[in-house]
Amino acid sequence: MTSLTAAPAAAAPVQVPGRDYGNGPERNEVAAAGPAAAKRAAGPLGENKAGVRQGYPRKTQLRVYPEDTTDKSIKLGLTPYHAIAPELNALQARSDRISVEVVGQTGLGRDLYLVTLTAPETAMETRQQDAWRALIENDPVRAARDKGLERGYKAPVWINNNIHGNEWEGTDAALRQIEYLATTDDPAAKRLLATSRVYFNVTANPDGRVAGTRANSAGFDMNRDFVTNTQPENRAMRDMIIDTQPVIMLDEHGYVSGTLIEPTGPPHGQNYDFDLYIRHGYAGGLEMEKAVQGLGYPEAQDVVVPFRDLPPGEWDGWPPIFTAQYAMYHGAVSYTIEIPLRVNNAAYDQLPVEELRRRSAINTDVSEATMKTTLSYLYRHRDELVDNQIEIFRRGAAGEAQRYLPDGFVPGFGPEDRFTTEFPRAYVIPAGSGQRSAPAAARLVDLLVDHDVRVRQATRPFSLGGRSYPAGSYLVDMHQPKRALANAMLEAGKDLSNDAPQMYDIAGWSHRLLWGASVDIVRHGQVRVPSRDVVAASPTGGVAAAPGRDLALRVLDGKDASAVNDLLGRGVELRRLADGTIVVPGASRAAAREVADRYGVRFTAASGGQGSPLRHVTVAAAVSADELFALREMGFDVRPVSTATLNAGYDLSGVDVLMVSSGLRYDQLVPAAKARVDALFARGGVVTRGATGSRFNADAGLLPVTAVPGRGDANGIVDVDNSGASVLTGSTPQSFVYSPQWFVHLGAGVRVEQRYAPGNPLVAGHWLPNENGSGGPQEAGGQAAVVSGEAKGARILMFGTEPMFRAHPKGLFAQVATAIYWTTTR
């Protein structure tokens, strides 16, 4: 007997006290309202408007923003965003040691400031510093022997602040240190600046700082976006890390009782040369602990050093999504710092102003203590830290195996800390018929290049690893300085379920498996391929059909959906065939060529079939911020909705599809709102995701299925079986899950679009059963992950997977687009 059963609440993962996870239940409970459009980042660091390399100082008259009395930092006695530019302008007028550059803008258009403190340099001296920095990465063997570099290279340190907008105090500590280093007569500080460059990202999240939100204006936790780079602020930080190439860095956060100072506990990222990190990482962390305790605040005595104090998984360093863990791949000894006293969230609203300001003052002192200690450590260990970075890049370029670290390598190092991988010889991203999706391949290549991974393009056909490839194929030779980052992005990853009882955040992210491109692995052998360096991927768009012929486009990627939506927005009359192919009339060839060039898609000759008319689609979306972003990235016309907006009378008459994953409860709608939703069922479609979507389906009496929840913190890449798909044909063989679901007791007319692979479907990530044995991957194996059907006149498709999670799994976006198109055509 079938049933209409909502998924019970998923078991909540164990969480570290005081930690903000950034992906809690609000993702399924609070529907996004919609951000402003993002702006592109500024050009290369250190160049003036004419493109000429400058020395130091670099004087920039910063634009001053109007006073904003609503800035949330004011209540805490901290520096509001509008006061930062005047302060930096004044310091530039007083000192020749400070330079300020605007390195980008936020989603709402606020400037991002990179402040550099160093002894003055002529343009020629700066060119020499640039040459030495490039030598360290490009020819580390020569760099290790270069006596001029050894004597004269200014070791870079980068201090990142306020990436979570409601963790304010790092900015104020940075401003203190900036003023001190710019104006002090202390000989020790002047010696530091003669041998170092100290870089401060004053506030990484100005929009969040002003609004008092963890996320930026687009609703993204930017400390989860480093290998996806959806946000302009993240792209600016990425470029700062690459351009400054710090040997040591701090990322200032809050709030963990007592203060937390990394290194992390295990699991550690398996691509690191961990021996070159942990010696300095642990020693520097212990020095910061001593400095924080030396301040004398009772609230900052019980410092937590995760490597020493926490069990596996409570504060791990596995994914490269965090600032500190990402920066390690660029040669930095990196730390996340969590200051001790909470002043955000409920505390901000409930505590007296005097107590909030007392706490913020302590927090600022703690943050500054970690900065001062790090600068001292840098000065005292400059040669070792520079040599350390050189050796990271040398091992990568030489293709050397990672070192075995014995127990006790540093105090406390044991088997639980030992994570390594086997680097392949190369990866190949094929061109031509061997490529599943040309726009996906181009997107992946551009992302790798943007992250300073070296990619080459074959100028002639070649064979490698027993396969033949056409000219134009891309090669990632893993004998390169940043091979660790290249492999972290392209390898499958690891099933960590037996390595830790839980994970701090996601444990799987492979771009090779989730970004939609075909990527081959070459395990061994010589790599001798006629090729050229890639700065940007080659254009992939085109129209391969005779003039006058109708054109066809298969929606295999989000770029394909963007092209379809662009054509619909131009009023082109499209048709959708039963297999999902989109047909463009031959008369619209010029428009098709334009969108082919814009999105990199390729139209072929249509082979017949009438299909159903596909018109401009309007989506009412009760979804999380990341899903809203992904839908708009694909060009859908999206109207954010929620229980509250529908109950307030939101008009659904112009809506074609309702998408539900967050913030909408059918059982909480008032009668008039229910009537409008029911009317939409009769003419449109429904797409759901996750527990909220499954509950909506059950409460609305739509598809007869029972949704079964996996463990609440289960996440990662899973193998799936698409063999029975009728709507989602052509989907990738892997998908992504977070708090996975599957569907059982399927009633009449319910079709299985995708199943979890039999047995244990987890490829990489972390997925354990609940304490009672339920919700594990073995239970999910072989079960329906995505289902479709019709009810109450509506076409409905339900995802138990996460095809748009944090806008990362680009290769899965097409599944959502296809579902939307299918639900709107008859």
Side-chain angles (χ1 to χ4, degrees):
M1 184 175 180
T2 59
S3 61
L4 295 170
T5 308
V14 179
Q15 296 189 344
V16 178
R19 179 173 188 172
D20 283 321
Y21 278 72
N23 189 52
E26 72 279 356
R27 186 166 183 272
N28 293 326
E29 295 172 1
V30 180
K39 296 188 177 182
R40 290 182 60 84
L45 296 179
E47 292 183 0
N48 62 20
K49 291 181 180 179
V52 177
R53 202 69 176 168
Q54 299 173 280
Y56 285 94
R58 297 166 182 172
K59 302 295 186 181
T60 303
Q61 186 64 31
L62 304 174
R63 61 173 169 173
V64 176
Y65 290 79
E67 181 178 355
D68 183 354
T69 58
T70 68
D71 189 310
K72 296 292 187 179
S73 60
I74 295 172
K75 182 177 180 179
L76 303 174
L78 300 173
T79 306
Y81 175 79
H82 61 257
I84 295 174
E87 184 170 341
L88 295 177
N89 283 337
L91 286 171
Q92 289 183 96
R94 293 171 57 194
S95 172
D96 63 359
R97 303 174 213 159
I98 179 174
S99 301
V100 185
E101 295 168 88
V102 175
V103 292
Q105 281 78 38
T106 69
L108 296 181
R110 293 184 173 96
D111 289 338
L112 298 167
Y113 308 124
L114 176 66
V115 175
T116 306
L117 279 304
T118 195
E121 299 170 13
T122 65
M124 182 177 295
E125 289 170 332
T126 296
R127 284 195 293 272
Q128 179 63 74
Q129 291 294 322
D130 292 346
W132 280 330
R133 184 174 64 249
L135 188 68
I136 288 171
E137 179 183 349
N138 297 332
D139 194 345
V141 173
R142 272 186 57 207
R145 298 196 301 258
D146 192 309
K147 297 301 181 182
L149 185 156
E150 182 180 3
R151 292 188 303 270
Y153 182 55
K154 290 183 170 182
V157 56
W158 183 63
I159 300 176
N160 197 48
N161 305 286
N162 200 199
I163 190 171
H164 291 147
N166 63 353
E167 298 167 8
W168 293 271
E169 292 91 344
T171 293
D172 290 79
L175 289 170
R176 279 192 200 169
Q177 274 295 290
I178 289 167
E179 181 175 13
Y180 170 75
L181 292 172
T183 61
T184 184
D185 290 326
D186 183 353
K190 292 183 177 181
R191 288 194 296 270
L192 169 73
L193 298 185
T195 58
S196 307
R197 284 191 190 158
V198 184
Y199 298 99
F200 292 91
N201 186 16
V202 180
T203 168
N205 187 1
D207 296 344
R209 181 177 185 84
V210 172
T213 58
R214 177 182 177 91
N216 70 346
S217 62
F220 274 72
D221 183 334
M222 294 192 295
N223 204 36
R224 306 291 187 273
D225 192 43
F226 272 93
V227 289
T228 308
N229 284 158
T230 64
Q231 302 305 296
E233 300 95 332
N234 277 96
R235 294 191 289 273
M237 284 182 277
R238 174 200 67 198
D239 292 347
M240 282 185 241
I241 293 169
I242 293 170
D243 290 344
T244 64
Q245 201 169 295
V247 297
I248 196 166
M249 66 80 62
L250 300 178
D251 194 32
E252 297 285 340
H253 287 256
Y255 303 93
V256 170
S257 179
T259 303
L260 181 145
I261 300 170
E262 289 182 348
T264 71
H268 309 291
Q270 66 184 10
N271 287 282
Y272 297 128
D273 286 293
F274 201 62
D275 59 312
L276 298 178
Y277 165 72
I278 193 59
R279 282 198 190 279
H280 287 290
Y282 194 34
L286 294 179
E287 287 196 14
M288 283 188 270
E289 176 187 41
K290 185 176 180 180
V292 168
Q293 292 171 331
L295 295 172
Y297 296 118
E299 301 93 336
Q301 295 304 305
D302 297 326
V303 176
V304 175
V305 179
F307 178 80
R308 179 190 66 196
D309 299 329
L310 296 179
E314 284 200 12
W315 196 281
D316 65 83
W318 180 255
I321 59 175
F322 310 122
T323 318
Q325 281 60 53
Y326 174 75
M328 287 170 65
Y329 286 109
H330 295 280
V333 174
S334 303
Y335 301 89
T336 300
I337 308 297
E338 300 275 348
I339 50 183
L341 296 174
R342 184 169 296 281
V343 295
N344 62 3
N345 302 336
Y348 186 94
D349 296 324
Q350 297 171 8
L351 292 178
V353 170
E354 294 77 10
E355 173 60 12
L356 288 172
R357 293 189 172 189
R358 185 190 76 85
R359 292 185 177 197
S360 282
I362 293 173
N363 287 337
T364 304
D365 287 349
V366 169
S367 180
E368 187 180 21
T370 65
M371 296 177 187
K372 292 165 68 174
T373 305
T374 297
L375 296 179
S376 172
Y377 191 92
L378 172 68
Y379 181 75
R380 290 179 286 113
H381 297 276
R382 170 195 169 274
D383 293 351
E384 301 160 58
L385 289 166
V386 173
D387 289 346
N388 204 65
Q389 187 177 81
I390 291 172
E391 178 64 5
I392 290 172
F393 295 151
R394 188 199 68 78
R395 290 185 192 176
E400 292 187 3
Q402 293 162 300
R403 306 296 195 261
Y404 174 84
L405 305 190
D407 291 355
F409 181 77
V410 296
F413 185 94
E416 71 280 3
D417 294 300
R418 198 170 288 119
F419 288 86
T420 58
T421 192
E422 182 178 346
F423 295 104
R425 184 60 186 84
Y427 291 95
V428 179
I429 304 172
S433 61
Q435 181 51 250
R436 175 185 177 275
S437 169
R443 178 179 56 227
L444 178 58
V445 167
D446 286 338
L447 183 83
L448 292 168
V449 171
D450 285 345
H451 284 269
D452 205 26
V453 171
R454 298 172 186 209
V455 183
R456 297 184 65 81
Q457 188 173 33
T459 55
R460 296 203 301 267
F462 66 97
S463 295
L464 201 60
R467 300 185 183 95
S468 297
Y469 297 97
S473 297
Y474 297 98
L475 178 73
V476 182
D477 187 337
M478 291 299 290
H479 287 190
Q480 63 171 289
K482 295 182 181 178
R483 57 103 182 253
L485 179 58
N487 207 50
M489 296 174 78
L490 293 174
E491 71 173 352
K494 185 177 189 290
D495 181 350
L496 294 164
S497 305
N498 294 324
D499 293 296
Q502 64 186 30
M503 292 292 286
Y504 182 90
D505 203 272
I506 65 164
W509 58 86
S510 172
H511 297 71
R512 175 170 63 87
L513 299 181
L514 294 178
W515 272 46
S518 302
V519 183
D520 294 336
I521 305 172
V522 180
R523 293 292 178 190
H524 307 287
Q526 295 296 315
V527 177
R528 296 190 180 96
V529 177
S531 57
R532 61 173 182 83
D533 289 334
V534 174
V535 177
S538 297
T540 57
V543 176
R549 287 286 303 273
D550 285 354
L551 308 176
L553 179 66
R554 293 194 66 198
V555 181
L556 297 177
D557 189 79
K559 292 289 187 181
D560 299 319
S562 296
V564 171
N565 289 329
D566 192 326
L567 291 171
L568 290 171
R570 299 169 185 235
V572 176
E573 295 181 355
L574 306 181
R575 290 177 284 125
R576 183 180 182 276
L577 303 183
D579 67 356
T581 299
I582 306 299
V583 178
V584 183
S588 298
R589 182 185 182 92
R593 186 176 294 280
E594 286 184 19
V595 300
D597 291 343
R598 178 174 298 175
Y599 304 107
V601 304
R602 192 163 186 82
F603 292 90
T604 58
S607 58
Q610 290 302 308
S612 302
L614 179 64
R615 297 182 176 87
H616 176 84
V617 181
T618 299
V619 182
V623 297
S624 57
D626 51 344
E627 292 171 313
L628 178 63
F629 180 92
L631 289 168
R632 287 179 168 166
E633 185 174 77
M634 289 187 282
F636 283 104
D637 178 4
V638 187
R639 314 292 172 85
V641 297
S642 63
T643 305
T645 58
L646 293 181
N647 282 341
Y650 187 89
D651 183 7
L652 293 172
S653 61
V655 168
D656 303 294
V657 183
L658 178 63
M659 185 164 186
V660 182
S661 67
S662 181
L664 179 55
R665 289 272 299 270
Y666 185 85
D667 62 319
Q668 293 180 357
L669 294 176
V670 299
K674 278 186 180 178
R676 290 191 296 273
V677 170
D678 291 344
L680 174 58
F681 295 160
R683 68 173 192 280
V686 178
V687 179
T688 74
R689 191 272 304 164
T692 297
S694 293
R695 175 159 190 165
F696 180 89
N697 174 77
D699 290 345
L702 298 175
L703 291 189
V705 299
T706 298
V708 180
R711 176 166 146 156
D713 64 347
N715 74 87
I717 300 165
V718 292
D719 281 329
V720 293
D721 177 3
N722 301 304
S723 59
S726 60
V727 178
L728 300 185
T729 56
S731 294
T732 57
Q734 284 81 35
S735 191
F736 184 82
V737 295
Y738 196 111
S739 297
Q741 289 195 318
W742 52 95
F743 304 101
V744 299
H745 304 147
L746 309 184
V750 176
R751 297 180 296 272
V752 177
E753 297 293 336
Q754 190 175 87
R755 292 186 183 274
Y756 293 109
N760 182 351
L762 187 66
V763 175
H766 188 273
W767 187 352
L768 290 172
N770 296 311
E771 290 184 3
N772 65 5
S774 68
Q778 297 285 350
E779 185 182 349
Q783 299 292 345
V786 183
V787 296
S788 67
E790 298 184 27
K792 296 187 175 182
R795 285 184 167 183
I796 302 135
L797 190 139
M798 302 176 66
F799 287 100
T801 56
E802 280 272 9
M804 298 188 292
F805 185 81
R806 295 179 183 163
H808 178 72
K810 307 292 188 185
L812 310 184
F813 285 12
Q815 296 179 24
V816 178
T818 298
I820 290 172
Y821 297 144
W822 172 73
T823 64
T824 61
T825 53
R826 294 291 189 274

